[in-house]
Amino acid sequence: HYSFFPGEPRWPASQSHLTYAFLPGTRADAISPVAKAFQTWAANTHFSFSRTEDYVNADIKVSFERGDHGDGFPFDGPDGTLAHAYAPTDGRFHYDADEQWSVIATPGAYHLETLALHEIGHLLGLEHSSIEGAIMYPTFMPGESKGLHGDDIQGIKALY
Ligand code: TQI
Ligand code: CA
Ligand code: ZN
C-alpha cells in the first residue's frame, strides 16, 4: 500500500503544471528517459509537466551528482544509493553520477527511466509502498525496468 511523507507535503492545487529542467552537465542520454517518465506520470495523474531551459526557476531540477555534493546526503560511488529526490515542494532530483546507467534495460546497469518514475513519485509526495510491483516498492535491481502500478496512481489520487 502507498504511503506519504510525514505531514503529507504536497504541491498546492494551483501547481498542477510543473516545469522541470536539467542542470548543466546532465548527460544528454538521460533527457529522453526522464521526459518519458514525466509523460507517464502526467498520463496517469492530474499533473502535467513541461521541460524548460530555465534551470534557476524550474519547479523540478534534475542533475547528476557524485560523492558529497553539498546537500547533506552524499552519494556513495557505485551501487548503494542510486538517486534521491526530495518531498514536495523542494523539487531536487539527483542521480548518482558514479552508477552504470542505461537507456534500455541492460544487465548490470540501472534503468534511467525506471529510476525517474520512482524519484518523481517522491517529488510528487509518495513515500514507499508495501505492494510488490508498485514503482514505489523499495527494492530495485540492476537490469530491472518497471512501470507505474495501480497502487502508485491511487496514492497520488488519495494525496491530491
Ligand atoms: N534512493 C533512495 C530512494 O529513492 C533514497 C531514499 C531513501 C528516499 N529513503 C527515502 C527518498 C525516502 C525519499 C524518501 O528510495 S535509492 C529504491 C528502492 C533507491 C531506492 O537510490 O536507494 C529505488 C532508488 F525503493 F528500491 F529502495 C530507487 Cl526503487
Ligand atoms: Ca551509489
Ligand atoms: Zn524511494
Side-chain angles (χ1 to χ4, degrees):
H1 200 269
Y2 56 77
S3 70
F4 306 128
F5 291 97
E8 304 190 1
R10 70 199 86 186
W11 295 87
S14 58
Q15 270 183 295
S16 59
H17 182 82
L18 300 174
T19 58
Y20 67 94
F22 297 95
L23 300 196
T26 300
R27 44 190 290 174
D29 63 357
I31 291 172
S32 123
V34 171
K36 277 193 205 154
F38 276 114
Q39 279 166 20
T40 300
W41 275 108
N44 290 283
T45 63
H46 70 291
F47 283 104
S48 57
F49 304 95
S50 60
R51 184 182 165 197
T52 170
E53 299 295 325
D54 182 1
Y55 60 82
V56 174
N57 294 306
D59 298 307
I60 294 168
K61 299 168 196 201
V62 183
S63 59
F64 281 75
E65 310 284 348
R66 59 165 41 91
D68 187 346
H69 52 282
D71 65 358
F73 297 95
F75 282 136
D76 51 5
D79 300 311
T81 302
L82 314 173
H84 55 219
Y86 290 77
T89 52
D90 180 284
R92 280 174 292 174
F93 169 1
H94 298 160
Y95 281 104
D96 187 340
D98 284 334
E99 306 300 340
Q100 290 284 343
W101 292 110
S102 66
V103 175
I104 296 168
T106 304
Y110 293 103
H111 190 234
L112 284 158
E113 183 180 345
T114 300
L115 257 292
L117 284 170
H118 181 91
E119 299 304 331
I120 294 166
H122 288 316
L123 291 169
L124 297 180
L126 294 179
E127 246 277 19
H128 290 149
S129 173
S130 59
I131 304 283
E132 221 179 314
I135 198 72
M136 300 315 292
Y137 186 74
T139 62
F140 189 62
M141 310 293 280
E144 188 181 0
S145 74
K146 285 170 77 177
L148 288 191
H149 183 282
D151 179 69
D152 304 305
I153 297 160
Q154 283 163 30
I156 292 294
K157 293 224 158 97
L159 182 60
Y160 290 92

